[in-house]
Amino acid sequence: MSREEELSNIKEFFKSNVIITEVEEVLRFKPDTLIGIDQISADKLKENNIKTIQDLANIPEENLPEIKGILPSILSKWVKIAKVLEKAVGEQLKAHKKLLLIGLDNGGKSSILAVLQDKFSIIKSLLPTKGVKRERLDFFGYPIVSWDLGGQVQYREKYYFNKPEIFFTEVDLILYVIDIQDPERFEESAQYFDEVLASLEELNESAPILIVLHKSDQDFRKTLEWQQNVREVKDLFNPLIDKHGGFNVDYYDTTVFQKETIMQMFSIALKKVSETSEIIENILEDFTRTVNGKATSLISMDGLIFGSFHQTNTDEMLVNNTAIMLQVLINFHSSIGLIREKSIKLDFPLNGFTINGEKLFEYSDLQIPVYLWALTENPELIEENLDYFKKQLLPLINLFL
Ligand SMILES: Nc1nc2c(ncn2[C@@H]2O[C@H](COP(=O)(O)OP(=O)(O)OP(=O)(O)O)[C@@H](O)[C@H]2O)c(=O)[nH]1
Ligand SMILES: [Mg+2]
């Protein structure tokens, strides 16, 4: 569904001068943006602490408050409309995956989202997030709604745990962000993590969680202190993961100074959420064997690793890192006007192998090219088998999320 189509479903509820750009923002609008509610009535609602459409929708129909100057039958109608709207918005948002970013203030959550959108220049001027910032992202061409939960103590204590069902339900993926350079706050962060897991448990939510060891800047990552901090975090967090049980949790280190760490972190995270990633990896395994290869990866030009198959971890690292570097080079070539080559080959004659990238297709409305990278001693086998695998992979890519 296009954004226009989505909006057209709900904009009929609103006065014609109301401008809606995001479906998800409408519940925060004042009640008198709705057709049929005038400003005087809205003021009366406000006196009763009903400030938004969401507030209206929260009123139980069987227990309407008495509001002077508004007939109960009228109020009841407004509440019903607000509830219908709430449901419509909910259904539209469900078509998107919900990504939660949680962690203490100053951890780097908003910065991670900025890097993901190539908005490097705003990182310097980011202010602490006030409450929750919801944003719709084209995440490697897939629709995602990110919920960036500001980590300042007033929000942590008063906001999220009072209404956990708003924040912690129907979540598809959770990034729990820790500032790995700030050991003094590891305990506080662990406490928060404990509360988050408890809330999720209570709500029967079991989204995969990635604990992001953020600010693992290149120079710091090489130090003993970094290793020590990582150990400390794991010593604090692993017992909590055990205590709550049933959660799928992993760690990954990132830094805003190397975009690829963030892209790879998201690749890992999205693979956990994907319904087709396992099948993609099975097909890649089949392909690798057919072409007598050592490792194969399917990677989009913007860095999403859909899947990979490899015989050793070194083979995997070799193919993924080479592919990602070469893709940077290819993107540069495109930016100066060269035509994108369908096939790229890097020979290692002394080592007796070749790394070969083949453009398979473009996916999503953004037309992002996807390359199949293989590390093999017999590159000539690739071409004759490519079409067969391409046909199998394309529908899976479209359904990846
Ligand atoms: N050294 C280093 N600093 C970073 C990195 N990422 C973010 N920062 C800095 O950390 C500070 C906090 O970043 P934010 O993204 O605003 O943190 P946040 O988690 O969104 O904070 P709240 O919104 O208060 O919850 C900023 O000064 C960033 O410049 C990183 O990878 N390395
Ligand atoms: Mg923030």
Side-chain angles (χ1 to χ4, degrees):
M1 211 187 318
S2 76
R3 190 165 292 207
E4 268 62 48
E5 284 169 326
E6 282 181 17
L7 290 176
S8 72
N9 289 342
I10 56 163
K11 79 171 187 256
E12 313 297 338
F13 287 101
F14 291 88
K15 290 176 183 158
S16 59
N17 61 348
V18 176
I19 297 165
I20 303 170
T21 52
E22 293 289 335
V23 173
E24 50 266 48
E25 73 184 342
V26 302
L27 297 178
R28 295 196 297 268
F29 284 1
K30 294 204 318 239
D32 58 340
T33 53
L34 287 173
I35 285 176
I37 304 188
D38 54 42
Q39 209 199 321
I40 298 171
S41 307
D43 288 340
K44 290 190 179 121
L45 290 172
K46 198 173 165 193
E47 284 161 22
N48 288 268
N49 232 355
I50 302 161
K51 296 179 191 142
T52 63
I53 292 171
Q54 180 71 63
D55 294 341
L56 255 184
N58 288 345
I59 297 175
E61 269 181 79
E62 61 287 353
N63 191 10
L64 294 177
E66 269 193 40
I67 296 178
K68 243 202 204 147
I70 300 179
L71 285 172
S73 60
I74 303 276
L75 181 61
S76 158
K77 188 179 83 186
W78 292 345
V79 170
K80 281 200 182 97
I81 289 174
K83 283 188 197 291
V84 167
L85 205 52
E86 179 185 45
K87 189 154 171 258
V89 169
E91 271 167 15
Q92 313 228 325
L93 288 178
K94 250 198 285 170
H96 305 78
K97 298 283 175 186
K98 176 172 169 184
L99 164 73
L100 270 187
L101 288 105
I102 315 180
L104 299 183
D105 51 295
N106 199 49
K109 299 176 292 298
S110 306
S111 305
I112 290 173
L113 285 177
V115 170
L116 192 71
Q117 301 169 79
D118 282 330
K119 295 180 182 163
F120 296 97
S121 58
I122 70 166
I123 292 178
K124 276 201 316 279
S125 51
L126 278 176
L127 295 172
T129 307
K130 289 189 187 143
V132 181
K133 181 154 189 257
R134 282 194 283 184
E135 224 175 343
R136 179 155 15 184
L137 307 172
D138 263 322
F139 217 57
F140 301 103
Y142 297 105
I144 295 258
V145 178
S146 64
W147 294 50
D148 178 1
L149 269 55
Q152 290 190 315
V153 65
Q154 63 268 34
Y155 307 120
R156 271 185 275 142
E157 283 180 354
K158 304 230 172 79
Y159 211 49
Y160 310 134
F161 298 116
N162 277 351
K163 289 205 167 166
E165 67 284 358
I166 295 184
F167 304 100
F168 300 130
T169 48
E170 295 187 35
V171 184
D172 294 289
L173 175 63
I174 297 171
L175 301 182
Y176 189 86
V177 180
I178 301 174
D179 178 349
I180 199 66
Q181 298 196 20
D182 191 6
E184 284 183 2
R185 298 190 73 192
F186 289 167
E187 294 249 8
E188 186 187 355
S189 184
Q191 247 171 45
Y192 186 29
F193 185 65
D194 193 15
E195 284 176 272
V196 170
L197 290 188
S199 268
L200 290 167
E201 218 167 26
E202 185 112 321
L203 294 160
N204 267 326
E205 290 286 326
S206 58
I209 302 173
L210 207 58
I211 299 180
V212 184
L213 307 171
H214 191 55
K215 307 198 189 177
S216 291
D217 304 343
Q218 256 163 320
D219 51 342
F220 184 62
R221 177 117 178 25
K222 294 197 190 101
T223 62
L224 263 179
E225 195 186 340
W226 181 83
Q227 291 182 18
Q228 220 168 338
N229 287 0
V230 172
R231 201 168 320 121
E232 246 176 75
V233 166
K234 290 189 176 171
D235 285 346
L236 280 166
F237 279 66
N238 284 343
L240 298 174
I241 297 164
D242 291 342
K243 173 177 139 192
H244 292 280
F247 286 100
N248 168 349
V249 187
D250 261 326
Y251 295 89
Y252 199 82
D253 49 282
T254 55
T255 166
V256 290
F257 299 110
Q258 286 173 284
K259 185 183 177 192
E260 67 274 16
T261 61
I262 290 178
M263 301 311 262
Q264 293 205 22
M265 181 265 288
F266 274 110
S267 282
I268 290 172
L270 293 192
K271 265 202 274 178
K272 284 171 176 281
V273 179
S274 165
E275 270 136 42
T276 63
S277 82
E278 203 182 321
I279 319 173
I280 292 174
E281 301 209 324
N282 289 344
I283 294 173
L284 294 181
E285 177 175 356
D286 193 8
F287 175 79
T288 313
R289 295 198 196 290
T290 309
V291 303
N292 236 335
K294 292 176 189 295
T296 305
S297 285
L298 189 66
I299 309 182
S300 77
M301 215 15 107
D302 55 357
L304 176 62
I305 304 171
F306 289 105
S308 55
F309 175 78
H310 49 271
Q311 297 190 343
T312 69
N313 286 339
T314 313
D315 289 340
E316 184 189 29
M317 259 168 35
L318 183 58
V319 80
N320 282 353
N321 285 311
T322 307
I324 284 169
M325 298 291 180
L326 285 177
Q327 291 193 170
V328 173
L329 189 64
I330 296 167
N331 282 335
F332 161 70
H333 290 159
S334 302
S335 77
I336 57 169
L338 297 189
I339 298 168
R340 195 181 285 282
E341 300 289 346
K342 281 193 137 143
S343 169
I344 301 120
K345 211 182 265 175
L346 196 61
D347 281 322
F348 298 77
L350 297 181
N351 294 283
F353 62 78
T354 297
I355 291 181
N356 189 104
E358 297 286 340
K359 182 179 149 193
L360 288 197
F361 34 68
E362 286 162 350
Y363 77 106
S364 100
D365 297 343
L366 304 177
Q367 307 223 302
I368 306 169
V370 176
Y371 278 71
L372 183 65
W373 294 91
L375 167 60
T376 173
E377 292 167 2
N378 308 90
E380 66 285 353
L381 289 177
I382 292 179
E383 211 192 317
E384 53 195 76
N385 289 291
L386 206 57
D387 260 358
Y388 172 71
F389 288 99
K390 177 174 158 175
K391 285 204 189 87
Q392 295 181 48
L393 288 168
L394 179 61
L396 296 169
I397 293 304
N398 289 331
L399 291 176
F400 186 67
L401 280 191

